[in-house]
Amino acid sequence: MVSAPTPIQPVRQEPRQGETYRDPTTGMEFIFVKGGCFEMGDTFGDGDNDEKPPHEVCVGNFYMGKYEVTQGQWERIMGSNPSYFKSGSNYPVEQVSWNDVQEFIRRLNQQSGKRFRLPTEAEWEYAARSGGKREKWSGTSSEYELGEYAWYNKNSGGRPNPVGQKRPNGLGLYDMSGNVWEWCQDWYDEDYYSRRVRDNPKGPDSGSSRALRGGSWLYYPVSIRVSFRGRYVPSNRNNYFGFRLILSSDF
């Protein structure tokens, strides 16, 4: 008796740069970011010491949240809204610590069966630079155009604003500069760049503060640059601290 042939499984093709995935558990949208190499750090010569030296970094593929995580999405998973500015479900969740975010991710992964996490500083900067381009702010290097891409001290009205209202960067990601600071996975080390870790750097093994990126509605243009590095103790909450997520590209 001849056995039936084993069916051939279709090969899953790699998504296209900028392709969107919508997660059914939360409704969050993610943009596929094709990995590559770029110059990380102070590429314009006007940054702080912890942005130096600029150095080549290479990251793998990943999906980055199209928007900062919103108050509505947080409440769906956690059952409450910790934000100081409780303005509506489409506003970024804020006043969340790094530790709070880890609990959110734990519950989200449990409910969805997927692998969400915070981005590394390298992944965040690569995505903010529209896929590693030489951009000072996410989407532009012109301060004259900055208000078209970012909520910051000049145009925010002294508070966060709904996600996705400004122009996206070259990958279709919104609010990477301004609105709320975004927690990263890494421990912060002022001298970490001097080690020149090239492939998928994840930051130091330990520290006292976690990294934040992107600046916020309260800050001046200099502090919402894509290479600017913030840091705070992981238990700290503030009304300009938020986050966005990464989803593993092989989910």
Side-chain angles (χ1 to χ4, degrees):
M1 183 175 185
V2 180
S3 59
T6 303
I8 298 174
Q9 297 297 322
V11 177
R12 186 184 177 193
Q13 298 200 351
E14 182 178 278
R16 299 184 304 275
Q17 179 83 290
E19 187 172 316
T20 301
Y21 167 77
R22 183 180 179 89
D23 176 63
T25 303
T26 61
M28 293 180 191
E29 293 182 74
F30 291 83
I31 299 291
F32 179 72
V33 180
K34 184 174 177 58
C37 301
F38 74 113
E39 194 79 359
M40 184 175 180
D42 175 27
T43 57
F44 287 85
D46 55 359
D48 295 336
N49 288 336
D50 64 354
E51 302 170 40
K52 301 172 183 176
H55 56 294
E56 185 180 56
V57 165
C58 301
V59 297
N61 300 340
F62 56 93
Y63 280 88
M64 173 71 86
K66 187 175 183 178
Y67 310 106
E68 294 158 335
V69 173
T70 66
Q71 295 179 26
Q73 290 162 348
W74 180 278
E75 192 161 4
R76 193 175 307 166
I77 299 300
M78 303 296 283
S80 61
N81 182 1
S83 302
Y84 178 83
F85 297 101
K86 290 181 172 63
S87 305
S89 62
N90 203 39
Y91 284 73
V93 67
E94 25 83 5
Q95 204 152 264
V96 290
S97 70
W98 187 93
N99 293 338
D100 295 334
V101 173
Q102 298 307 304
E103 177 60 18
F104 175 89
I105 291 172
R106 186 190 70 79
R107 295 191 193 186
L108 176 58
N109 287 345
Q110 187 177 53
Q111 291 183 30
S112 67
K114 298 188 178 70
R115 291 181 293 158
F116 296 95
R117 60 176 174 83
L118 287 174
T120 64
E121 283 196 86
E123 290 167 334
W124 190 96
E125 187 170 324
Y126 179 78
R129 289 180 180 272
S130 301
K133 296 179 181 177
R134 189 175 179 271
E135 295 179 349
K136 181 171 281 194
W137 298 279
S138 188
T140 184
S141 294
S142 168
E143 189 169 343
Y144 178 78
E145 296 179 345
L146 183 57
E148 299 178 24
Y149 291 87
W151 296 110
Y152 62 111
N153 74 312
K154 185 177 179 180
N155 66 356
S156 68
R159 57 186 298 130
N161 285 266
V163 301
Q165 301 298 299
K166 294 295 185 178
R167 292 177 61 179
N169 73 0
L171 295 180
L173 300 169
Y174 291 81
D175 303 310
M176 295 288 284
S177 289
N179 217 16
V180 292
W181 282 97
E182 300 178 11
W183 286 109
C184 289
Q185 186 63 32
D186 311 36
W187 288 107
Y188 172 83
D189 179 355
E190 181 179 6
D191 300 319
Y192 185 68
Y193 285 13
S194 64
R195 304 182 198 178
R196 298 178 184 271
V197 180
R198 181 178 181 269
D199 295 328
N200 287 307
K202 294 178 173 60
D205 294 331
S206 62
S208 59
S209 298
R210 295 285 184 174
L212 297 115
R213 288 303 198 101
S216 82
W217 54 269
L218 182 62
Y219 283 72
Y220 290 87
V222 66
S223 299
I224 68 170
R225 294 175 297 111
V226 292
S227 62
F228 189 85
R229 304 176 68 203
R231 74 273 193 186
Y232 239 107
V233 293
S235 60
N236 186 270
R237 302 182 179 98
N238 212 307
N239 61 18
Y240 43 80
F241 288 175
F243 68 107
R244 78 176 70 216
L245 293 177
I246 270 186
L247 174 61
S248 171
S249 63
D250 59 355
F251 66 92

